[in-house]
Amino acid sequence: MQRSVCSLPLSSAVISKLTRRGFQCTADLEQLSAGQISTEAGVTEEEALEVLDLVNPQRCPVSVTALELLQRETELKPIVTSCFELDQALGGGIALGKTTEICGVPGIGKTQLCLQLAVNVQIPECFGGLGAQCLFIDTEGTFFLQRLRDMAAAAVRRCSLLTENQAQQDATRTFTVDYILSNLFVVRCDDSVELLSQISGLPSFLSNHPKVRLIIIDSIAFPFRLHLEDLPLRTRLLLGAAHQLVALATTRDAAVVMTNQMTTRVQGEGPRLVPALGETWGHAANIRILLQWTDFKRTATIFKSSSHVTTTVQYQINTDGFRGLSEQRKRTKVHTETQNAGETR
C-alpha cells in the first residue's frame, strides 16, 4: 500500500522539499538511491536515508523479533581494546552498531585507547579482527602520529608471532605499518561548527568509504565547552549530533567512539569529578566507560550500558599501547625465564 509523503513521520522541512520536487507518494521514492533523493530533493544524505527507511519495507522491516535482533548483534564482531580484562567485561570489545563514550581526566589514556582501536579495527579477519578502516576526528590536536606508528608496529609484530596457517601468512605480507597508516583517515576540527559539519557529512563519507567501521571523535566535549557558552543551544546541538551518530552506527553497523572530559560538580557530599556536558548528554551514548586513577592505578569502569553489568578493571599504558594487566604478567614471566636461562648458561 502506497502512502502520501505528507503522512510520513518526517520533519516538515523535509516533507516540504520532497513535495516541491514532485514526490507525492512513497512509490515515487522507492526505486531511488539515497544519493539521488539527496540531489533531487535538496536534502542531506542522512535525511535521504531516513526517507528510504520509511518508504522501502525491504530496507527496514516494520518489525523484527527479539531473536533476529540477537542474531544480528551476534554476527557483528566487536573491536578488541587489547586489554583482555576490559574486552571480557565488554563481551569481546567495543560493539559495532552502537556509540561508546570514553570519559576521563587529562593524561588517563583516552586518546591512547582511541589510537589502539584505530589500529585494532584493521587487524585482518583471519587473526580475529575486522580488516576494516577508521575515521579519526581530532578536535584537541592530540593525534600523535609517532605513537600510532608504535602501536601499529606492535600489532604487526603480534600478528606475525601468531601466524599458524597459510591464510595468516598471506595476511602478514600486506598487514604492515604503512598499510595501517594508509587505512586511517584523519580530520582536524578547530571548533564546534567544523565538528557539526563533519558529522553531517558522515553519511556521504561512509558511502564513499564503505570499509570504514569505526568513527572516533576525540573529543566531543572540547569544541563545545571552549567556544559555545549558550548552554541550551549547546545541549540542542549536542543531542542533534548524538542522534545522527546513533543513526549512523545502527544503519552502517559501525562503532562510534567519543571521548569526553571531566568537570567538577558540587553536591551535598562535596565536590566530585563527573563527565562533562551535563546530565542530559549522559543519556546520549549507548555505552559509557570511565577511565580514572584508583589508588594510583589506572582503572576502566563500565558505568552505563543496557547490555553490560557495571564492572571495573585495571589497565596499563606501555610502549606497545593500551594493555591489560595480563600483558604485564606475560612480560614479567618472559623476562624472568630469560634471566634464569642466562644464569644457567
Side-chain angles (χ1 to χ4, degrees), residues 211-286:
K211 288 189 67 178
V212 171
R213 304 294 296 280
L214 172 62
I215 301 164
I216 295 171
I217 303 177
D218 184 28
S219 73
I220 191 74
F222 181 74
F224 287 95
R225 298 183 76 195
L226 185 65
H227 302 291
L228 202 57
E229 296 181 359
D230 185 334
L231 294 183
L233 174 61
R234 186 174 80 180
T235 300
R236 288 198 301 274
L237 292 175
L238 276 167
L239 293 181
H243 175 75
Q244 293 179 64
L245 293 170
V246 169
L248 277 175
T250 304
T251 58
R252 305 285 180 145
D253 288 339
V256 175
V257 173
M258 306 168 283
T259 65
N260 191 3
Q261 301 169 333
M262 302 294 283
T263 188
T264 302
R265 178 181 298 166
V266 180
Q267 293 183 324
E269 63 273 17
R272 67 187 185 95
L273 285 174
V274 297
L277 302 180
E279 293 185 5
T280 303
W281 171 258
H283 302 285
N286 300 123

Side-chain angles (χ1 to χ4, degrees), residues 19-328:
T19 53
R20 279 206 308 267
R21 300 303 173 91
F23 299 110
Q24 300 299 324
C25 65
T26 54
D28 300 329
L29 298 160
E30 285 179 353
Q31 304 304 318
L32 299 179
S33 68
Q36 290 172 317
I37 294 175
S38 176
T39 301
E40 294 183 26
V43 298
T44 67
E45 189 155 343
E46 184 187 9
E47 289 170 336
L49 287 169
E50 184 181 3
V51 171
L52 284 179
D53 286 340
L54 291 170
V55 304
N56 191 337
Q58 297 304 314
R59 276 180 55 87
C60 185
V62 175
S63 63
V64 294
T65 66
L67 179 59
E68 289 172 327
L69 288 174
L70 177 62
Q71 290 172 337
R72 179 173 175 273
E73 287 199 4
T74 303
E75 291 169 358
L76 295 177
K77 187 183 300 181
I79 307 167
V80 296
T81 66
S82 289
C83 171
F84 175 77
E85 295 84 356
L86 182 56
D87 288 334
Q88 212 172 26
L90 287 169
I94 301 298
L96 298 185
K98 295 183 179 180
T99 57
T100 300
E101 182 184 15
I102 301 168
C103 314
V105 297
I108 195 61
K110 301 187 299 296
T111 299
Q112 300 288 320
L113 176 53
C114 288
L115 292 173
Q116 189 67 65
L117 293 170
V119 171
N120 290 355
V121 74
Q122 301 187 47
I123 294 174
E125 293 184 56
C126 57
F127 286 103
L130 274 69
Q133 296 176 327
C134 172
L135 170 65
F136 196 112
I137 301 176
D138 176 22
T139 69
E140 294 193 44
T142 53
F143 179 86
F144 297 116
L145 183 58
Q146 186 54 53
R147 186 59 177 140
L148 177 71
R149 287 181 62 89
D150 293 340
M151 293 183 179
V156 170
R157 286 196 304 271
R158 183 172 180 80
C159 285
S160 64
L161 292 173
L162 294 175
T163 301
E164 294 180 345
N165 55 48
Q166 188 60 49
Q168 292 177 336
Q169 287 180 8
D170 294 339
T172 55
R173 295 191 185 98
T174 55
F175 186 60
T176 63
V177 172
D178 287 348
Y179 173 88
I180 293 172
L181 297 181
S182 66
N183 283 281
L184 172 58
F185 304 95
V186 183
V187 176
R188 179 77 170 95
C189 292
D190 293 318
D191 54 39
S192 57
V193 175
E194 289 187 7
L195 177 57
L196 291 172
S197 175
Q198 286 295 333
I199 291 174
S200 295
L202 283 176
S204 177
F205 177 85
L206 294 179
S207 294
N208 294 326
H209 301 84
K211 288 189 67 178
V212 171
R213 304 294 296 280
L214 172 62
I215 301 164
I216 295 171
I217 303 177
D218 184 28
S219 73
I220 191 74
F222 181 74
F224 287 95
R225 298 183 76 195
L226 185 65
H227 302 291
L228 202 57
E229 296 181 359
D230 185 334
L231 294 183
L233 174 61
R234 186 174 80 180
T235 300
R236 288 198 301 274
L237 292 175
L238 276 167
L239 293 181
H243 175 75
Q244 293 179 64
L245 293 170
V246 169
L248 277 175
T250 304
T251 58
R252 305 285 180 145
D253 288 339
V256 175
V257 173
M258 306 168 283
T259 65
N260 191 3
Q261 301 169 333
M262 302 294 283
T263 188
T264 302
R265 178 181 298 166
V266 180
Q267 293 183 324
E269 63 273 17
R272 67 187 185 95
L273 285 174
V274 297
L277 302 180
E279 293 185 5
T280 303
W281 171 258
H283 302 285
N286 300 123
I287 301 167
R288 301 186 93 189
I289 300 173
L290 174 64
L291 305 184
Q292 60 186 335
W293 294 102
T294 305
D295 297 329
F296 304 103
K297 298 174 182 176
R298 297 178 191 265
T299 61
T301 301
I302 304 171
F303 70 104
K304 187 253 181 177
S305 173
S306 59
S307 52
H308 306 96
V309 297
T310 300
T311 310
T312 299
V313 302
Q314 284 185 236
Y315 68 94
Q316 59 173 321
I317 307 291
N318 61 31
T319 54
D320 288 344
F322 189 92
R323 296 291 188 270
L325 294 188
S326 55
E327 180 79 12
Q328 181 63 41

